[in-house]
Amino acid sequence: MGRSPCCDEVGLKKGPWTPEEDKKLMEFIHKHGHESWRRLPKLAGLNRCGKSCRLRWTNYLRPDIKRGKFSQEEEKLIIDLHSVLGNKWSAMATRLPGRTDNEIKNYWNTHLRKKLLQMGIDPVTHRPRTDLNLFGGLRDLLPAANFGNLSHLDNALKLQADAALLARLQVVQNLIQVLTNSPTSNLDLMGLLGSASLGNPQLSYFQQLSRQYEGLINSSLSPHGSIQMPSSLPNLGFQNLLNNIQAYSKSRLSLDGGEVAVQLDGVSAYSYSFPTSSSAPSLVPASPEDNHIDQMQGHATSSNVSSTTAPFEPWEDLNLDDISSDFGWKDFLD
DNA sequence: AATTCGGGCAACCGCCGCAGC
DNA sequence: AGCTGCGGCGGTTGCCCGAAT
């Protein structure tokens, strides 16, 4: 079945090329070109298979190959191209003069892939990671706040509070990511959003998920029960949650229209109307007299203009100092 | 100074698509 | 239509070298 591999011939050399072999190959190609890689090795006096010669030429000896580190521009271009083309290294190479597909592939696998992972971006989908392994980092982070590891109680308390806050931020971030990036996940988001209320019993899975995370955080922070947690969430964090719910619901409902209402503490905070795919969604504050809702409405209204299509960037403007919202964590989770 | 370990990268391998017969 | 030859592609391997122990 099929043909035999070109390198099946016994006695052909493999492995790294010597300077002498390089010289022979270059001289031959400069004189005669490379019409037939199959015949080239014999004609050039090389004990290699044609494939090996071609690879050596295209990946190393070609005169137009650029050497040295990838520039920031090249790096960005590779990431952009990868988000569109996927692992089409040769197609990417045509857009990067002087770079070979092999070089780009290696650079992606050894540098860029890791870089994206460290930034919390899935290198395959180029979207924020939704897998719960993100919480693995939490396990490493939180034990540092344990009393036993520190001599100064004040520092320990501060660290622990910071860790708790960080932990909450990560929980919210991941919930947002689940909401915004997993339309095919176990979460019945269509049902969730279609039911037009965040205080709806259909949120049970969401709540269950949240409790699991809270349990993880509590057990990580204190082996003897739950700790005193700050009662507020960063305002921008929650505002971003709203933005993303809005953007997500818009993307899911814009085709046939619909309405999404958001309730806080049992009080209707917002409703988003998407009558048709062509008309712009409207944002209506349900209880403008409420202070924290007023505050959030300001953010949400401004973002409403910009929240058009995915991908979302929920944390790009997160300000850790802005912890002014009196929206309760427990209320959010429960 | 010797050894181990891990990252980076060149090269290989296997498969695919296309063209010619 | 099926076979063969070939170039090309993407995944993987394994060597080399520098850092860490």
Side-chain angles (χ1 to χ4, degrees), chain A residues 33-307:
Chain A
H34 48 79
E35 257 183 28
S36 167
W37 288 112
R38 186 87 167 177
R39 287 193 297 271
L40 186 146
K42 268 189 182 153
L43 296 171
L46 286 159
N47 190 28
R48 297 263 183 180
C49 73
K51 206 171 188 173
S52 180
C53 295
R54 181 177 59 81
L55 230 52
R56 184 64 180 170
W57 174 256
T58 54
N59 287 338
Y60 196 81
L61 297 176
R62 239 174 49 199
D64 59 327
I65 286 181
K66 194 192 283 183
R67 296 260 161 239
K69 284 192 74 176
F70 281 77
S71 68
Q72 292 247 325
E73 289 73 28
E74 286 177 314
E75 212 170 84
K76 188 178 181 306
L77 183 56
I78 292 172
I79 293 171
D80 287 346
L81 289 171
H82 190 274
S83 70
V84 177
L85 300 168
N87 292 359
K88 302 290 178 193
W89 311 115
S90 58
M92 290 162 75
T94 63
R95 302 284 298 275
L96 284 135
R99 301 293 188 185
T100 69
D101 54 353
N102 208 36
E103 202 177 5
I104 296 169
K105 176 174 60 183
N106 284 334
Y107 192 67
W108 174 266
N109 286 328
T110 55
H111 294 96
L112 297 181
R113 208 175 149 274
K114 289 175 194 167
K115 207 169 181 176
L116 291 181
L117 282 171
Q118 279 172 358
M119 292 163 67
I121 296 169
D122 187 326
V124 178
T125 62
H126 290 259
R127 308 184 77 176
R129 293 171 70 192
T130 56
D131 62 294
L132 303 182
N133 289 334
L134 278 176
F135 283 87
L138 213 54
R139 293 181 187 278
D140 300 330
L141 170 73
L142 296 177
N146 280 348
F147 289 102
N149 298 340
L150 296 160
S151 52
H152 304 296
L153 192 60
D154 283 352
N155 287 342
L157 283 169
K158 189 172 185 307
L159 256 180
Q160 200 162 22
D162 289 347
L165 177 60
L166 259 177
R168 288 183 180 200
L169 289 173
Q170 290 205 13
V171 168
V172 178
Q173 181 177 12
N174 279 273
L175 292 177
I176 289 171
Q177 287 174 353
V178 169
L179 274 170
T180 57
N181 295 309
S182 303
T184 57
S185 76
N186 291 336
L187 276 172
D188 181 10
L189 283 172
M190 282 302 280
L192 186 157
L193 294 166
S195 70
S197 170
L198 264 182
N200 193 286
Q202 289 190 27
L203 275 168
S204 61
Y205 184 82
F206 183 77
Q207 290 172 329
Q208 194 188 334
L209 212 58
S210 306
R211 287 198 187 97
Q212 283 176 5
Y213 295 165
E214 192 177 38
L216 168 66
I217 292 164
N218 283 338
S219 61
S220 301
L221 283 171
S222 168
H224 307 298
S226 62
I227 61 156
Q228 187 70 33
M229 284 191 172
S231 60
S232 63
L233 270 174
N235 189 35
L236 279 174
F238 187 73
Q239 179 251 319
N240 273 312
L241 175 61
L242 291 182
N243 289 349
N244 280 282
I245 290 169
Q246 179 195 356
Y248 180 83
S249 55
K250 181 190 169 192
S251 71
R252 299 304 299 237
L253 297 174
S254 60
L255 284 178
D256 42 16
E259 183 171 338
V260 174
V262 176
Q263 292 186 354
L264 306 177
D265 299 336
V267 178
S268 187
Y270 296 109
S271 63
Y272 306 112
S273 299
F274 309 105
T276 63
S277 56
S278 55
S279 62
S282 61
L283 178 67
V284 181
S287 44
E289 69 280 5
D290 191 314
N291 273 348
H292 74 266
I293 291 174
D294 270 344
Q295 199 175 14
M296 285 185 284
Q297 193 239 330
H299 289 298
T301 305
S302 60
S303 71
N304 186 41
V305 179
S306 60
S307 64

